[in-house]
Amino acid sequence: MCKSGLSFWKIFSDPIGFVVDLLGFVLDKILIVFVDPISTWLTTALATFVQLDGARGGDNYFINSIGTIFTRDKAIFTTLDKWFVTGGFTLATIFFIVRILKGLRDNLTGESEPNFAEIVGSYAVSLVLVMATPYIFSNFLLKLNVDMLNSFISISGTYKIQSGESLSKMVNFCALEDPWQRVFTRIILFIAFAIFAYASAMRYVELILLYFLGPLFATSYTNRSNLYTTYWTESIAVIFTQSLHFFLLTLLLMLIRNMELGLNGAFFSKLILAVAIVMVALQGPKLLRQYLQGAGLGGAGSVVRSKASQAMTMFRYARSTAKTNKAASGK
């Protein structure tokens, strides 16, 4: 139990100040009663979403975790996984047939000289990507994220987050003698945990969509579209958002546990910094997506296609020139 920090003699020297301190003391007690139990649920939710990604559960752990959350019949999602892969094969074949027919038309009409070898090669690569995308997603990227997360948690020491732990156990609020300091820090920390828990739930739903739709996005390689590159940019941003969130949450705990005493400029400076950490966490995948695109990953596909298009144009020009020279020498 924390000291009240109230001085009843203050009612004679500073009655308004005494009322303000009393109000802060009452609010602090109300927050302890209502916020602490809810915070245990939030920390449990955060720990649960870490386990759902599955670093130690085998190749089908992610699919099994989806079945555990939504239904007791895990076979439903295993069947859905096979259906989406089959749908990817079908869609890639449709794109391949369309490209072949379009190439035959262009060849007959003389509009262009299609590269049938490139069309067949793109189709073959697309089929491989349809099969490989779910495996890379669940058995490489998801596990890499969880391994990074576990490594980070292992070195965070006393700042690690325990499942079912309340705010009062995470932070020694009694070290803050002013009741309003305890009120402000409890509110900021509670809002942060609520946001992180909600963001983890949103991320998990996005992971489900990205996992199942992956084989369908892989078919876009048949048309040499940039959609598949965009898919991986989005997937990487969503997957590694969890590591970013836990890093920011650990920084927040470090900051809160080392708050300045008293309602002064130093305390409010750290309080504003805590709010900034929460605001950055709100951006989540958007922040990582900007960094990935800035690093050139998001535009890699378009650059490759541009270079390939330039090379094909030069090849066609050289070929047409060779035909013209051959015809001229034959005359």
Side-chain angles (χ1 to χ4, degrees):
M1 183 68 67
C2 300
K3 295 181 179 179
S4 64
L6 293 174
S7 175
F8 288 98
W9 297 106
K10 191 176 181 180
I11 193 173
F12 300 105
S13 59
D14 187 8
I16 296 179
F18 175 79
V19 172
V20 171
D21 291 343
L22 180 61
L23 181 60
F25 175 76
V26 173
L27 286 176
D28 183 43
K29 295 303 178 183
I30 292 174
L31 289 175
I32 293 175
V33 173
F34 290 99
V35 168
D36 265 18
I38 299 176
S39 65
T40 61
W41 305 340
L42 296 177
T43 54
T44 301
L46 285 171
T48 300
F49 285 117
V50 171
Q51 297 172 1
L52 288 177
D53 280 11
R56 306 181 183 89
D59 292 343
N60 296 322
Y61 190 90
F62 183 63
I63 291 294
N64 292 335
S65 74
I66 299 174
T68 302
I69 289 293
F70 290 95
T71 177
R72 295 180 180 178
D73 188 3
K74 302 176 183 178
I76 293 177
F77 292 96
T78 303
T79 304
L80 280 176
D81 189 18
K82 295 178 181 178
W83 284 0
F84 275 98
V85 172
T86 304
F89 287 141
T90 305
L91 191 59
T93 303
I94 293 174
F95 288 155
F96 171 68
I97 293 173
V98 170
R99 285 199 68 187
I100 288 291
L101 293 176
K102 184 179 178 181
L104 291 174
R105 183 204 64 185
D106 293 342
N107 192 29
L108 290 174
T109 58
E111 294 182 17
S112 62
E113 295 182 6
N115 187 347
F116 289 104
E118 183 272 328
I119 296 175
V120 174
S122 297
Y123 173 61
V125 172
S126 182
L127 294 181
V128 173
L129 293 177
V130 167
M131 293 186 295
T133 297
Y135 181 86
I136 296 172
F137 189 97
S138 61
N139 291 278
F140 180 70
L141 290 180
L142 277 180
K143 288 188 177 182
L144 178 60
N145 170 69
V146 177
D147 288 340
M148 289 175 55
L149 191 60
N150 289 334
S151 299
F152 177 71
I153 292 175
S154 65
I155 63 175
S156 59
T158 58
Y159 296 100
K160 66 178 61 176
I161 301 164
Q162 301 292 340
S163 176
E165 194 173 30
S166 66
L167 297 183
S168 296
K169 291 183 179 180
M170 291 183 195
V171 179
N172 182 19
F173 290 100
C174 294
L176 303 174
E177 298 177 355
D178 193 297
W180 281 105
Q181 276 191 294
R182 298 195 291 269
V183 169
F184 287 140
T185 51
R186 285 185 195 276
I187 291 175
I188 291 296
L189 201 56
F190 175 74
I191 292 175
F193 271 89
I195 289 174
F196 283 120
Y198 176 74
S200 296
M202 288 284 293
R203 170 188 173 273
Y204 189 65
V205 175
E206 290 178 345
L207 284 181
I208 295 174
L209 290 176
L210 288 169
Y211 176 83
F212 283 113
L213 294 178
L216 301 183
F217 282 102
T219 62
S220 64
Y221 191 86
T222 306
N223 296 324
R224 306 304 296 269
S225 170
N226 193 36
L227 188 61
Y228 192 57
T229 304
T230 304
Y231 165 79
W232 281 119
T233 303
E234 186 69 22
S235 297
I236 292 173
V238 172
I239 289 172
F240 291 98
T241 292
Q242 188 177 63
S243 296
L244 173 66
H245 279 172
F246 269 77
F247 174 70
L248 293 175
L249 194 54
T250 303
L251 287 181
L252 183 64
L253 283 176
M254 291 179 178
L255 190 66
I256 293 296
R257 289 183 182 182
N258 294 279
M259 279 290 189
E260 305 293 336
L261 297 179
L263 291 176
N264 48 39
F267 169 76
F268 281 104
S269 295
K270 288 190 175 182
L271 197 66
I272 293 172
L273 189 58
V275 174
I277 292 174
V278 177
M279 296 301 294
V280 170
L282 278 174
Q283 298 183 38
K286 180 181 178 181
L287 184 65
L288 289 178
R289 195 181 302 114
Q290 290 175 350
Y291 291 153
L292 289 172
Q293 291 175 350
L297 180 59
S302 60
V303 172
V304 171
R305 286 198 316 279
S306 176
K307 297 298 182 184
S309 177
Q310 292 177 10
M312 185 60 65
T313 301
M314 293 176 63
F315 172 76
R316 289 173 179 171
Y317 175 76
R319 188 176 179 183
S320 62
T321 303
K323 287 183 178 180
T324 302
N325 294 336
K326 185 177 181 180
S329 61
K331 292 180 180 180

